[in-house]
């Protein structure tokens, strides 16, 4: 994502490697911070949106922030984020 809404920026905690900011229960902003390049993919498994974030290359030692937008409807009741193949818990913030 190239343009990040101001409310998402304000709700983002720079100390959390992985977090989600949710708007209206339908649009989620997934924020992932890493020093490596990240390859992201999305799969639908039943009613679960499976988001895979794989760190692929240690390009430098500077922290980078990756922000992805996910829009869901009633067909999705679970969002599972896997970092390097492991389901990872994340804090969620509700934004207006």
């Amino acid at each position: 994502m190239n343009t990040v809404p101001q409310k998402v920026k304000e709700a983002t905690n720079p100390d959390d490697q992985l977090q989600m900011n949710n708007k209206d229960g339908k649009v989620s902003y997934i924020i992932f911070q890493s020093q490596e390049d990240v390859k992201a993919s999305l799969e639908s498994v039943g009613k679960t949106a499976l988001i895979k974030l794989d760190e692929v290359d240690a390009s430098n030692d500077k922290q980078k922030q990756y922000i992805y937008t996910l829009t869901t409807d009633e067909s999705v009741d679970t969002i599972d984020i896997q970092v390097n193949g492991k389901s990872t818990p994340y804090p969620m913030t509700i934004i207006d």
Side-chain angles (χ1 to χ4, degrees), residues 3 24 27 35 42 45 58 62 72 76-79 86 88:
T3 304
D24 301 327
V27 178
Q35 292 179 339
L42 172 66
V45 181
K62 187 173 181 174
T72 59
V76 173
D77 64 8
T78 305
I79 298 173
K86 296 180 182 174
T88 306

Side-chain angles (χ1 to χ4, degrees), residues 37-53:
D37 291 337
V38 175
K39 179 183 174 193
S41 62
L42 172 66
E43 291 180 30
S44 179
V45 181
K47 290 187 160 238
T48 300
L50 176 59
I51 300 161
K52 296 180 180 181
L53 303 174

Side-chain angles (χ1 to χ4, degrees), residues 19-32:
Q19 60 197 292
M20 181 184 301
N21 296 337
N22 186 277
K23 181 177 180 178
D24 301 327
K26 295 178 183 176
V27 178
S28 297
Y29 298 92
I30 298 159
I31 299 100
F32 183 64

Side-chain angles (χ1 to χ4, degrees), residues 3-14 21 65 67 95:
T3 304
V4 180
Q6 186 62 33
K7 289 186 178 189
V8 173
K9 289 180 188 178
E10 292 169 0
T12 299
N13 182 347
N21 296 337
Q65 188 176 74
I67 300 178
I95 57 176

